[in-house]
Amino acid sequence: MAKAAEAARQTKKEKEPALKGTLASVFLLGFFIIFSWVSVYFLFLHRL
Amino acid sequence: MAQPLEKVDRRDAKLALAHLFVAFTALALGGFAGLLQTLVRSGKFELPAGISYYTILTTHGVLLGLVLTTFFIIGFQFAAVSRTTGALSDGSRRTGWVGFWLMTIGTAMSAFFILTGKASVLYTFYAPLQAHAGFYIGLALVVVGSWVSGFAMFAHYARWRKTHRGQVSPLLAFMSVTNMVLWLVCTLGVAATVVFQLIPWSLGLTDRVNVLLSRTLFWYFGHPLVYFWLLPAYMVWYAVIPKVIGGKMFSDSLARLAFILFLLFSIPVGFHHQLLEPGISPFWKYVQVVLTFMVIIPSLMTAFAMFATFESYGRSQGATGLFGWLRKLPWSDARFFAPFVGMLFFIPAGTGGIINASHQLNQVVHNTIWVTGHFHLTVATTVVLTFFGASYWLIPHLTGRVMTKAMNRLAIIQTIVWAVGMTFMSGSMHFAGLLGAPRRSAFSTYGNSPQALEWIPYQIAQAVGGTILFIGIILILVIVINLAFFAPKGETEFPVAEAAAPYERAALALENWKLWIGLVVALILIAYTVPIIDIIQNAPPGSKGYKLW
Ligand code: HEM
Ligand SMILES: [Cu+2]
């Protein structure tokens, strides 16, 4: 029983696509958001 | 290949096409108004015959922000529902036509009062600016018409569920229903201010109006409005684009969950448009800003799902390296290219939204032309390019024609023209806004103040961008007219993607409408009850109406 489940997990793992590019893309997206936000935040502080 | 294509029923196709026809007519007229605005604001051109800048701006905002979007969306959704859950019943279809005519008559009525200069109150129609009552009555008809169509979709969906017990509904139908639930709940606010405040006041039945209440009810509607625009674009991204590129949807359940989160978190957040409004307590602004930031979750889920769909497909085609999959995408297919460029523009667009909603940063950009730059990225690029991309298969599918290679090439050019024009126009709007240039203002040098003179180069860049964009409008109209009337006869596919995993139990649990609508109502009550009571109880004397044009 446990073995079967383990085997199923194994095959599922194999089918899982490698999404390295997706990971890199979402990180780039995140950095862009943070960079833009911080830029306007500094503009705000500068004008206080 | 030998299988016949699954098609939208011919009678439903007519209903959808009628909506698209009004939408593209609005695009033609509204686009021309947009061109005039950028020319006026460059300082090099004046409107002839004493036409007011604000008449043109109202025409533009109403036709593009309200009419183009609502008509396209309802037409698209009727087609999507009919394609995935079968032909509408005669009753539902007739109801759909009633909705269409109510909306069309309402639009014509409002347009009449705008164009005759009796309603230059901009598309947000803030009190105490006061338009002719006919303008508000026309808008009310548009809203009621959209409700009637929404009910036609609900009835059709309910009938499908009854005959398919225990089955997960098709994704596009589920998404259309989610979007119409969102619309129904949020338009209650704008209907309330129009029917109970603005119409009696413009008819002279009441003398004064509670300005803050009417603005609050407007923004209770105004923010979900932008999600009502965006969700149909997401429908295309999630449920159509994977098929167009030849791949599979990354996850059906993820798409449904994202839609439910949008439904929950896009309504109780209107105060982020009123952050600088006196009369609303900072605590409730804070609560709604927190809820606003919750919308980032389904937005980033969507970004992830898109990247994952593209990468999975590219790798299945043998792509290697970190970004090799990008090269495998069908760049020369306008059905993919236009929405893809729309997605790219959503990166700065969404980022700008996070900035707008942050209370301190909002003080930097509030009511500047930055905001106009922002929503020309969101609605006027991301959403509109996706709608254009959908039209490239939807219109020929509905009219029984095929898009020629030449038209596809023109559509690629159209997309590039739009992207270039918008980069100029929206980019310079963003920078001018950071320098303090106001939105919704005709040209002025403000007595040659040095600050205002700084804005002028950006305003000229906006006119350059606006001119390029207007070329884009002409191109899309050429393509649409070709697809509707002149393209060769034939069969075009309405692409609907399959999920990578065949059956996900989670999807069934997500169809619990009682739960979702209950949560929606609960969140709205939490976010709005106390501040609205406060706005009514502690109101200053109401305002008389002003006609300042
Ligand atoms: C030819 C393309 C376009 C041009 C040149 C253009 C230009 C402009 C300009 C210059 C303004 C702001 C002026 C001001 O605040 O004084 C504006 C406002 C606006 N535009 Fe566009 N636009 C275009 C397309 C679109 C599209 C496709 C949409 C919607 C789908 C749209 C929706 C709006 C809305 C809602 C406003 C706000 C009106 C207001 O503040 O009352 N525009 N547009
Ligand atoms: Cu908003």
Side-chain angles (χ1 to χ4, degrees):
Chain A
M1 190 63 198
K3 245 188 194 162
E6 179 65 16
R9 232 188 53 214
Q10 287 282 319
T11 51
K12 209 170 164 216
K13 227 182 199 167
E14 268 165 27
K15 268 197 270 163
E16 198 78 30
L19 295 177
K20 287 204 197 76
T22 301
L23 185 68
S25 307
V26 290
F27 265 107
L28 286 176
L29 171 61
F31 289 138
F32 177 77
I33 294 174
I34 293 167
F35 172 78
S36 309
W37 194 94
V38 169
S39 306
V40 181
Y41 185 60
F42 275 106
L43 192 58
F44 167 75
L45 291 179
H46 181 71
R47 287 180 182 170
L48 268 183
Chain B
M1 275 290 100
Q3 275 174 345
L5 287 176
E6 276 188 63
K7 291 226 286 236
V8 173
D9 180 272
R10 260 192 35 241
R11 295 156 299 172
D12 299 345
K14 267 199 189 145
L15 176 62
L17 277 171
H19 286 88
L20 300 190
F21 179 76
V22 178
F24 281 101
T25 308
L27 179 69
L29 301 174
F32 184 58
L35 173 67
L36 295 179
Q37 285 149 221
T38 56
L39 295 180
V40 168
R41 291 195 63 143
S42 75
K44 309 269 179 232
F45 169 86
E46 273 177 35
L47 290 169
I51 299 172
S52 155
Y53 178 77
Y54 301 97
T55 301
I56 300 295
L57 185 55
T58 308
T59 309
H60 180 78
V62 170
L63 282 183
L64 296 180
L66 304 177
V67 176
L68 160 73
T69 47
T70 309
F71 275 85
F72 188 94
I73 290 164
I74 292 185
F76 168 73
Q77 289 183 169
F78 269 128
V81 164
S82 170
R83 162 71 171 79
T84 53
T85 53
L88 300 178
S89 70
D90 289 345
S92 291
R93 191 178 311 109
R94 215 173 304 121
T95 313
W97 279 110
V98 172
F100 170 78
W101 282 111
L102 282 173
M103 294 206 325
T104 305
I105 292 167
T107 299
M109 196 166 161
S110 293
F112 173 80
F113 288 103
I114 295 170
L115 293 173
T116 51
K118 296 207 164 63
S120 301
V121 292
L122 309 186
Y123 85 111
T124 44
F125 46 89
Y126 285 156
L129 284 179
Q130 190 185 55
H132 190 287
F135 169 78
Y136 302 115
I137 295 170
L139 288 184
L141 284 178
V142 173
V143 169
V144 171
S146 71
W147 288 348
V148 170
S149 292
F151 281 117
M153 289 177 209
F154 294 151
H156 186 65
Y157 171 78
R159 211 167 48 117
W160 186 92
R161 293 240 307 193
K162 219 177 250 161
T163 50
H164 297 74
R165 288 218 183 272
Q167 289 182 37
V168 180
S169 62
L171 183 59
L172 277 173
F174 174 86
M175 291 172 150
S176 300
V177 168
T178 310
N179 201 31
M180 288 322 277
V181 171
L182 170 79
W183 179 249
L184 205 87
V185 175
C186 78
T187 43
L188 290 173
V190 72
T193 179
V194 166
V195 172
F196 297 118
Q197 292 190 283
L198 302 178
I199 291 178
W201 173 66
S202 60
L203 287 172
L205 301 177
T206 53
D207 198 25
R208 290 172 178 271
V209 70
N210 181 336
V211 171
L212 184 55
L213 181 62
S214 77
R215 289 164 66 109
T216 300
L217 289 171
F218 180 86
W219 284 115
Y220 163 89
F221 152 80
H223 184 77
L225 169 68
V226 312
Y227 278 92
F228 176 71
W229 299 334
L230 205 52
L231 292 189
Y234 286 0
M235 288 182 210
V236 174
W237 297 2
Y238 275 115
V240 173
I241 292 293
K243 178 73 189 258
V244 167
I245 66 173
K248 294 221 160 126
M249 197 188 323
F250 178 70
S251 162
D252 174 280
S253 304
L254 179 145
R256 287 176 204 252
L257 180 62
F259 266 57
I260 293 298
L261 292 175
F262 281 124
L263 172 63
L264 293 179
F265 292 111
S266 67
I267 305 177
V269 298
F271 285 173
H272 69 226
H273 292 264
Q274 299 177 280
L275 288 174
L276 300 194
E277 192 112 50
I280 301 173
S281 94
F283 173 77
W284 292 106
K285 289 177 182 168
Y286 175 75
V287 168
Q288 294 209 5
V289 165
V290 172
L291 290 169
T292 303
F293 274 69
M294 297 294 286
V295 178
I296 299 174
I297 296 169
S299 307
L300 292 183
M301 281 164 67
T302 304
F304 168 78
M306 290 308 118
F307 287 128
T309 302
F310 296 147
E311 182 170 9
S312 307
Y313 170 73
R315 293 207 183 274
S316 76
Q317 300 299 301
T320 53
L322 200 53
F323 292 113
W325 43 276
L326 278 172
R327 244 172 290 142
K328 301 285 179 189
L329 297 173
W331 298 107
S332 57
D333 183 342
R335 298 173 309 162
F336 163 75
F337 185 63
F340 183 85
V341 172
M343 293 177 197
L344 282 187
F345 272 80
F346 205 62
I347 296 172
T351 305
I354 299 174
I355 291 170
N356 298 340
S358 308
H359 200 151
Q360 287 81 352
L361 309 203
N362 186 268
Q363 296 176 40
V364 178
V365 300
H366 198 89
N367 270 347
T368 69
I369 194 116
W370 156 290
V371 175
T372 316
H374 162 70
F375 61 70
H376 280 82
L377 294 183
T378 55
V379 66
T381 307
T382 301
V383 170
V384 161
L385 279 183
T386 302
F387 288 178
F388 292 171
S391 302
Y392 301 150
W393 48 263
L394 183 60
I395 296 177
H397 177 92
L398 298 175
T399 54
R401 296 176 187 273
V402 286
M403 190 179 201
T404 59
K405 279 222 168 74
M407 278 301 139
N408 181 67
R409 204 171 316 125
L410 196 59
I412 300 271
I413 295 171
Q414 199 284 335
T415 309
I416 295 170
V417 167
W418 199 270
V420 171
M422 200 52 92
T423 304
F424 272 96
M425 187 177 90
S426 172
S428 47
M429 284 173 165
H430 277 89
F431 284 110
L434 290 176
L435 297 173
R439 66 183 287 203
R440 300 182 144 175
S441 309
F443 181 76
S444 169
T445 59
Y446 299 89
N448 288 328
S449 96
Q451 191 183 5
L453 296 180
E454 269 187 356
W455 306 330
I456 291 181
Y458 294 100
Q459 282 158 200
I460 291 177
Q462 283 163 38
V464 172
T467 309
I468 300 173
L469 279 169
F470 189 68
I471 298 173
I473 299 244
I474 295 173
L475 292 181
I476 186 68
L477 292 172
V478 168
I479 299 167
V480 163
I481 291 171
N482 177 277
L483 292 176
F485 303 110
F486 300 107
K489 296 263 178 202
E491 296 214 323
T492 295
E493 179 195 17
F494 184 138
V496 177
E498 280 171 42
Y503 178 69
E504 294 168 276
R505 283 176 60 103
L508 208 53
L510 285 169
E511 225 139 343
N512 191 343
W513 293 107
K514 283 199 190 101
L515 174 66
W516 303 132
I517 295 173
L519 279 176
V520 168
V521 172
L523 281 170
I524 293 170
L525 290 179
I526 291 170
Y528 273 110
T529 311
V530 176
I532 288 206
I533 291 176
D534 184 42
I535 287 169
I536 294 172
Q537 277 188 340
N538 298 317
S543 175
K544 289 209 160 107
Y546 291 90
K547 296 189 160 127
L548 299 173
W549 61 90

